Amino acid sequence: MAYTGKDVPAQHSPALVAGAGLYTGDVKLDRMTHAHVVRSPFAAARILSIDASAALELPGVVAVVTGDDLRAQGYAMPVEGFGEGVKPKPFDLFPLAVDRVRFAGEGVAAVIAEDPYTAKQAALLVDVEYEDTDPVVDAERALAPDSPLVEPDWGSNVLFEARMTSGNAAQIIASAAHTVGGELHHHRYTGAAMEPRAYVADYDPYRRTLSFWASTQCPHPMRTLLGQTLHLPENDIRVIQPNVGGAFGLKIPYFQEEALIAALSVVCGRPVRWIAERREDLLSGGHAREGHFRWQAAFEPDGHVTALQVRYVADVGAPSALAGWGQCYVTGFALPTCYKIRDTDVEVIAVTTNKCAWNAYRGFGKESSSWLMDRVMDAVARETGLDRTAVRLRNFIQPEEFPYPQNGGAIIDSGNYPKALKRVLEMIDYANFPALQAAARAEGRYVGLGLGQELTPEGCSIAGTARFNGWDGATVRIGPSGEVTVLTGVTSPGTGNETALAQIAADRLGIELKYVKVIQGDTSICPYGLGNFSSRGVIMGGSAVHIAAGELREKLFKVAGNMLEVSPGDLECEDGRIMLKGAPFRYVDTKDVVTKIYSDCHGAAACGVEPGLEATRYFRHDNVYHQPETQGRYSAYPSWANQATALIAEIDPDTGVIKILRYCAVHDSGKIINPMTAEGNVHGGTAQGIGGALFEQLVYDDYGQLTTTTFMDYTLPTAMEIPHIELEHQETLSPFSPLGAKGVGESGITSPLGALCGAVEDALREFDVRIDRLPLSPERVWRAIQAQGDRA
């Protein structure tokens, strides 16, 4: 049977559901020690002195390490750029702060002790003398000439600036008869994995080798970065990724704590374990999203948008070795998303503040660009009096125009946006919604319908980086008994992509799925690969498996052809057999062919092929452009998944509470290998999108103190707040990959933002409410209603 396109339960699910998974926190080694990080209470301060004498007197304390100790060892952390012309200004970064701190929660010292309780108690005894300075906690304020500086040597708080232009948007807008504009404020929030960050480092001073267990997404890049920091050869470092309890991009290296725990093991010559507390994860585990848009668009009476100008100021927090600051570049790069607007001018300014650094988070900036375009389309519809769907359909890139060169430099591979939107309108019964809305209003209820259109570029491929690129590798091995082992460079943070890889291998070799085992996440076993990010597991890893298994298939067919006395080109395989096309009664069992290759390599059937059945192959995506001088463009994203969403929500005007009544979506990520796991990913992304739109917010006060450091303050949605998700798949295959897949890992998180904003405005039309900032908390919605009522 063919497995591609079939629901197959995730291979790892039985163990995980039974509580038999192995996580980093489960790793126990002889002579294990435990680390606790002493963190700054100030957002901006000079470190005057650190006195660890009291801590060192506590029984069970092994050592206390400071940033100065690590600087003396030369343990500087590498910082990478984000592609063509997008490189942060230089700064020194060590696993612990040196000389000064840049955000509340930055580590200044680390205690190593025999148990975690002693380590925490000793950390309280470390006496750090600070001279606090004025922090900057607002990005617009940070741009002022008299603002305090996060990095004094820079002379400003701008990390980088980028301008992406096509045509002459400013001139068109200036002369247009019809324009509309506004401001949008995207708030700060992040992901919340069940398992926080966790690391175990074991340095062997006699063999000079380091074993490093990590709740990470990228073991091989982690090994590279650790080697660079600690001055160790990569082949003396082994990084192991056990089961991971969620990641969402937030476990992409390179955290200061990752380098720190490895360095601590080198310092003390013993294993060191560190598991973040939830407060630590919220303080220093990476944030995302916060930014301010100013936009203006020109349009014609029929709703055609002719030009768009955007200025985007992103509050990326303190400079770091994390990849999150690149999200704001992606926001600008992705505009104008799925719409055909030839004249655009997009300015992106990444601004540093005394807050926790941005880290990669599911969506990676694409959610902001799609939210902006939903707000633009709704505004044009309001100004023209046209239906919101008509404006979107008028401006969509059309199916026959793909592959489509978008303004930011990308080639969008495939899509059928009108078909997806029309189908989701059928699902939500859009034509009859006005009657439903009127009936609800007659009952005193406020019900609205909103639309969200997401475009999600995937397969991030950044030029010149050790972490993000458009390739990956796989080894496929068939043993003498016929079982197949797949070793991959991509990893799974719990998404189930290992099952999809097994399905790909089983189909390519025509064998039963139960005979395929997938191994991931061990740098000593698996071929070098870049891990999991940007929905690349199937795009890159699956394609590599397809190619490697195809090489073995050719070898099997050659030997089977000799056994059947037919041409290999006349053969096909299925259900453990290799058979003649059109004559399935002429076949040979695949296991018999494997046996022939292993046990009779000098015989007539197998003497013409190399002994053994193992292939390691790498896939490089063709829709990546890193040579603008010859290719005429720079593009880091080869695959473009999309989704159309329609939802109905009810708003209580007395409290501002929003309840989603129905949620419908049509999702397109190209070829779906496993619908069950794909839908699970979309459901999870949708829940995070709803959480971000309605509940989640990281709030800093004027002194740079994070006030939302527990789940009592940082509100997450529960199953009670997430509606039943009515989901359908549409498959428009990518022409640039052998599988036609476009990635599903980040899908679903984007469209709730625009759809909920539209639904609130639609429900509260009589109040003339305008939504220009998130989250849509009850207080914010209630205040918006009151403000309009006061004006009336």
Side-chain angles (χ1 to χ4, degrees):
M1 65 174 292
Y3 292 99
T4 297
K6 301 288 176 44
D7 289 338
V8 176
Q11 288 188 334
H12 294 168
S13 290
L16 298 180
V17 171
L22 176 66
Y23 296 87
T24 301
D26 297 318
V27 175
K28 294 178 175 60
L29 304 174
D30 290 340
R31 302 176 66 241
M32 175 91 80
T33 64
H34 302 263
H36 194 89
V37 181
V38 179
R39 299 187 181 276
S40 169
F42 297 104
R46 298 180 186 90
I47 303 172
L48 300 181
S49 65
I50 301 177
D51 182 359
S53 56
L56 289 169
E57 291 176 0
L58 192 68
V61 172
V62 176
V64 178
V65 175
T66 68
D68 281 337
D69 296 328
L70 300 177
R71 178 169 59 179
Q73 295 294 323
Y75 290 166
M77 297 175 62
V79 178
E80 295 180 326
F82 204 79
E84 182 69 18
V86 185
K87 192 171 184 179
K89 295 175 181 176
F91 61 97
D92 294 329
L93 186 68
F94 295 91
L96 292 169
V98 173
D99 298 332
R100 59 191 178 83
V101 295
R102 302 157 310 137
F103 66 95
E106 185 170 17
V108 298
V111 176
I112 310 169
E114 299 291 351
D115 63 80
Y117 311 104
T118 300
K120 188 170 185 177
Q121 183 181 1
L124 297 173
L125 299 177
V126 176
D127 184 15
V128 185
E129 183 181 359
Y130 298 94
E131 180 186 351
D132 62 307
T133 57
D134 292 334
V136 56
V137 294
D138 177 83
E140 296 286 358
R141 171 75 180 91
L143 292 174
D146 61 344
S147 170
L149 298 179
V150 178
E151 291 290 337
D153 293 341
W154 289 0
S156 80
N157 286 311
V158 175
L159 181 72
F160 80 88
E161 296 180 80
R163 195 83 178 244
M164 289 158 266
T165 60
S166 176
N168 196 337
Q171 183 177 332
I172 291 174
I173 291 171
S175 61
H178 305 282
T179 63
V180 64
E183 297 186 30
L184 292 174
H185 298 265
H186 207 167
H187 63 305
R188 196 177 196 88
Y189 59 108
T190 189
M194 288 189 293
E195 178 200 30
R197 290 172 295 151
Y199 313 112
V200 173
D202 183 14
Y203 179 72
D204 184 334
Y206 304 105
R207 296 173 178 81
R208 292 181 55 81
T209 59
L210 173 68
S211 297
F212 194 79
W213 289 262
S215 182
T216 183
Q217 296 173 234
C218 310
H220 279 105
M222 174 87 81
R223 184 182 70 178
T224 299
L225 294 165
L226 288 173
Q228 292 172 355
T229 301
L230 302 176
H231 314 298
L232 293 173
E234 278 197 58
N235 58 5
D236 286 337
I237 303 174
R238 180 186 184 188
V239 177
I240 304 140
Q241 178 213 52
N243 294 127
V244 175
F248 315 121
L250 292 162
K251 292 179 180 175
I252 296 172
Y254 195 30
F255 284 99
Q256 287 173 282
E257 290 89 349
E258 290 167 333
L260 172 64
I261 302 310
L264 294 181
S265 183
V266 174
V267 167
C268 72
R270 292 175 60 181
V272 179
R273 182 170 76 168
W274 176 76
I275 301 175
E277 297 177 358
R278 184 60 62 181
R279 181 175 182 274
E280 288 181 293
D281 250 12
L282 289 170
L283 271 173
S284 63
H287 298 169
R289 307 292 201 252
E290 185 174 12
H292 177 203
F293 293 93
R294 289 187 176 91
W295 65 272
Q296 193 171 23
F299 61 92
E300 296 174 350
D302 66 353
H304 176 217
V305 179
T306 57
L308 176 68
Q309 274 189 306
V310 178
R311 182 178 188 266
Y312 177 37
V313 176
D315 183 341
V316 301
S320 78
L322 299 171
W325 57 269
Q327 290 174 99
C328 58
Y329 171 80
V330 175
T331 297
F333 169 78
L335 290 171
T337 67
C338 52
Y339 300 104
K340 186 176 180 178
I341 306 172
R342 294 315 313 164
D343 291 88
T344 56
D345 181 3
V346 179
E347 180 185 14
V348 177
I349 306 172
V351 181
T352 57
T353 58
N354 292 114
K355 301 177 183 176
C356 175
W358 273 17
N359 194 12
Y361 176 43
R362 196 178 202 169
F364 203 80
K366 311 145 197 176
E367 75 298 318
S368 295
S369 51
S370 289
W371 177 53
L372 169 65
M373 292 310 300
D374 276 332
R375 299 281 71 209
V376 170
M377 292 297 143
D378 283 353
V380 171
R382 186 169 56 246
E383 293 294 318
T384 58
L386 296 170
D387 188 272
R388 291 170 290 175
T389 62
V391 173
R392 285 167 168 79
L393 291 167
R394 176 66 180 83
N395 289 284
F396 275 150
I397 301 164
Q398 296 302 305
E400 66 274 9
E401 295 180 287
F402 292 99
Y404 182 81
Q406 192 50 288
N407 298 7
I411 299 293
I412 302 179
D413 51 355
S414 67
N416 192 333
Y417 311 139
K419 180 180 178 182
L421 178 58
K422 290 174 182 177
R423 175 58 191 144
V424 84
L425 295 177
E426 292 174 356
M427 293 168 65
I428 204 79
D429 196 13
Y430 187 78
N432 293 317
F433 177 73
L436 183 152
Q437 186 178 43
R441 189 66 195 92
E443 298 170 356
R445 299 165 55 220
Y446 293 83
V447 174
L449 188 150
L451 303 173
Q453 187 75 36
E454 67 181 63
L455 185 64
T456 312
E458 301 292 19
C460 180
S461 309
I462 304 301
T465 72
R467 287 181 288 177
F468 311 106
N469 234 303
W471 58 268
D472 220 289
T475 296
V476 179
R477 178 188 304 144
I478 305 177
S481 57
E483 286 84 2
V484 175
T485 302
V486 177
L487 302 104
T488 80
V490 298
T491 60
S492 172
T495 59
N497 66 32
E498 73 285 342
T499 307
L501 301 183
Q503 290 173 259
I504 292 166
D507 279 351
R508 196 74 167 130
L509 296 170
I511 63 172
E512 288 187 65
L513 188 63
K514 65 182 180 181
Y515 296 123
V516 182
K517 179 180 181 179
V518 176
I519 298 174
Q520 301 173 298
D522 189 330
T523 61
S524 291
I525 299 173
C526 299
Y528 197 101
L530 302 184
N532 171 270
F533 56 88
S534 196
S535 304
R536 68 192 307 276
V538 169
I539 300 172
M540 306 297 180
S543 295
V545 170
H546 177 86
I547 295 168
E551 185 173 305
L552 297 187
R553 173 189 170 112
E554 291 179 7
K555 196 171 187 178
L556 292 169
F557 277 22
K558 186 171 183 178
V559 175
N562 292 336
M563 295 170 70
L564 293 170
E565 297 182 335
V566 298
S567 169
D570 293 331
L571 296 174
E572 59 187 359
C573 57
E574 189 177 5
D575 295 332
R577 296 177 175 181
I578 300 173
M579 64 199 77
L580 187 64
K581 294 177 183 176
F585 53 87
R586 291 197 61 194
Y587 70 89
V588 59
D589 287 337
T590 302
K591 285 188 177 182
D592 291 340
V593 180
V594 171
T595 299
K596 185 70 69 174
I597 291 171
Y598 274 103
S599 63
D600 194 16
C601 68
H602 295 285
C607 66
V609 301
E610 181 183 1
L613 284 167
E614 181 170 326
T616 298
R617 294 296 302 273
Y618 285 82
F619 169 74
R620 177 175 56 201
H621 209 295
D622 287 338
N623 196 28
V624 174
Y625 304 90
H626 286 174
Q627 304 173 53
E629 65 281 355
T630 58
Q631 296 173 320
R633 64 182 61 250
Y634 177 85
S635 176
Y637 283 90
S639 298
W640 297 71
N642 61 88
Q643 180 171 306
T645 295
L647 65 84
I648 298 172
E650 181 173 352
I651 293 85
D652 184 340
D654 294 328
T655 64
V657 170
I658 299 170
K659 181 179 180 180
I660 301 174
L661 304 179
R662 283 194 69 194
Y663 193 99
C664 299
V666 175
H667 171 258
D668 181 357
S669 61
K671 187 64 179 176
I672 299 291
I673 305 300
N674 188 328
M676 179 185 294
T677 56
E679 289 177 12
N681 276 280
V682 176
H683 287 179
T686 301
Q688 287 179 304
I690 292 171
L694 298 183
F695 306 108
E696 301 174 48
Q697 184 174 19
L698 292 159
V699 179
Y700 281 88
D701 67 16
D702 292 340
Y703 301 98
Q705 296 296 318
L706 184 65
T707 64
T708 49
T709 58
T710 73
F711 286 158
M712 290 291 290
D713 313 300
Y714 187 80
T715 307
L716 293 170
T718 69
M720 295 295 291
E721 287 77 42
I722 304 302
H724 172 66
I725 300 168
E726 302 172 50
L727 177 65
E728 292 187 4
H729 294 290
Q730 172 180 290
E731 293 186 353
T732 58
L733 305 187
S734 173
F736 297 106
S737 71
L739 300 169
K742 298 192 290 191
V744 69
E746 293 186 287
S747 297
I749 197 169
T750 294
S751 51
L753 306 180
L756 279 162
C757 290
V760 170
E761 289 184 349
D762 186 44
L764 303 175
R765 277 184 295 174
E766 67 184 70
F767 297 99
D768 198 28
V769 166
R770 296 287 178 266
I771 301 298
D772 62 4
R773 63 181 62 226
L774 295 172
L776 295 167
S777 63
E779 179 184 1
R780 178 161 289 147
V781 174
W782 181 84
R783 289 188 181 279
I785 296 170
Q786 301 308 307
Q788 294 304 105
D790 292 343
R791 291 192 189 101

